[in-house]
Each structure stands twice: as C-alpha cells, then as structure tokens.
Amino acid sequence: MTAPEPRWLTEPEQDAWYAWRRMFPLVNAAIARDLGQDSGLSEADYDVLSVLGSTDGHRMRISALAVLMQWSRSRLSHQITRMEQRGIVRREEVPGDGRGAEVVLTGAGVETVREAAPLHVESVRRHLIDVLTPEQLRTLAEVGEVLRERKGLTRKGQQPPPAPRR
C-alpha cells in the first residue's frame, strides 16, 4: 500500500503560510517587548490579568482559564504561582466543590492591569491595528474566527455544549 501523494501548497498558499509564519512572531515579539518595558509584565502575566479583569468578580475557574488560554493546567498553575508571589492574583477554593479552584485578581492585580492596559493598547495599535486598513482588519478578524471555530472553541474559550441527541 503506497502513501497518498502529499498535497503540496500552491504558490498563493505558500505565500499565505510564510506571511503568517513571519507576521505572527514579529508582531507578537514587538508587543511583548513593549509590554515588558512599559509595565514590567510578561505576555503571560498580561494574558491572565486581562482575562480576569474582564470577568464578573475578576475571577475564573482555573480549569476554564486553562481552556480559554489554550494552556496546560500545569503551565497555568506555575504562572499563577509566580503571580501570587507578586501579590497580583490569589487562588480560592470553589464553595461546595472540594476539587475546584478559582484564580482571583487582587486589588494590586486590578491596579496593575488598569495601569498596563492603555500602554498595551497603544502598542497593539502601533504594531498591528494602525498598520492595516479597515478591510484588512476585517479580514484578519474573519480568519481568526474561522480558525477558532474550526478548533471547536467559543469566544470564551470553552468547548461548545454537545448537540442534543435525537
């Protein structure tokens, strides 16, 4: 039995693939560098802080946060430990669930993300948003949504509920 012939990329497909491979790390690195210089935060710090800052009560189950961020629970646990040591988050048990835990922004964490956000947004604008036309931004957003949906994730990062059985 012979293996099927590989589906090699066409020239336009190769152009798109190489553009993605070059674009993402360049833009991401520039924004992460600015974030560190402007706020003393890592990209991982800001990701956790900004997600928690946008939730009711500034809290989220650790398991749900791991899914949303597409991180292993171990990676997230280590990140939370480092942030706890700096006093910007804390872990809390979920009442009535002996195994569940939430990560919660502390007052210092709220203030940290509040101070970092304006500078971070300016960096995102400088390195991405203001470089693209409105049409290019719409296309970028559409591509992101298609890829997110293809992975089966909702906008909040959870797997959608299973379809009802018939």
Side-chain angles (χ1 to χ4, degrees):
M1 181 171 178
T2 60
E5 183 66 25
R7 293 180 11 174
W8 300 111
L9 300 178
T10 65
E11 191 169 336
E13 290 168 339
Q14 254 185 340
D15 290 345
W17 172 240
Y18 290 145
W20 167 260
R21 294 281 300 181
R22 287 186 305 267
M23 171 195 67
F24 183 77
L26 287 172
V27 172
N28 209 44
I31 293 169
R33 187 173 38 255
D34 287 351
L35 184 62
Q37 290 171 351
D38 294 342
S39 307
L41 295 172
S42 69
E43 185 179 10
D45 291 336
Y46 191 82
D47 287 346
V48 171
L49 292 171
S50 64
V51 168
L52 294 176
S54 67
T55 62
D56 291 335
H58 296 157
R59 62 180 55 238
M60 183 179 269
R61 276 186 176 264
I62 292 173
S63 57
L65 184 58
V67 169
L68 176 65
M69 297 180 70
Q70 295 291 285
W71 288 4
S72 70
R73 289 181 76 166
S74 174
R75 176 182 178 192
L76 182 57
S77 180
H78 288 292
Q79 178 66 35
I80 291 169
T81 297
R82 288 188 294 273
M83 294 173 78
E84 281 180 308
Q85 291 167 349
R86 295 186 345 249
I88 55 179
V89 299
R90 70 177 177 274
R91 292 174 215 245
E92 291 184 359
E93 289 184 18
V94 176
D97 183 353
R99 297 184 330 176
E102 292 180 321
V103 60
V104 183
L105 276 184
T106 63
V110 170
E111 189 58 30
T112 298
V113 75
R114 192 172 287 140
E115 290 175 2
L119 297 170
H120 181 61
V121 168
E122 187 52 42
S123 177
V124 170
R125 285 194 164 286
R126 185 171 52 256
H127 297 294
L128 180 65
I129 303 300
D130 293 346
V131 176
L132 302 176
T133 67
E135 182 179 335
Q136 290 169 327
L137 287 171
R138 279 191 298 278
T139 299
L140 183 60
E142 289 169 6
V143 168
E145 287 301 301
V146 167
L147 295 174
R148 179 193 54 76
E149 288 174 3
R150 177 71 181 231
K151 289 292 188 182
L153 298 174
T154 68
R155 292 188 129 226
K156 296 285 187 186
Q158 297 97 1
Q159 297 288 335
R165 292 189 177 179
R166 296 180 184 204

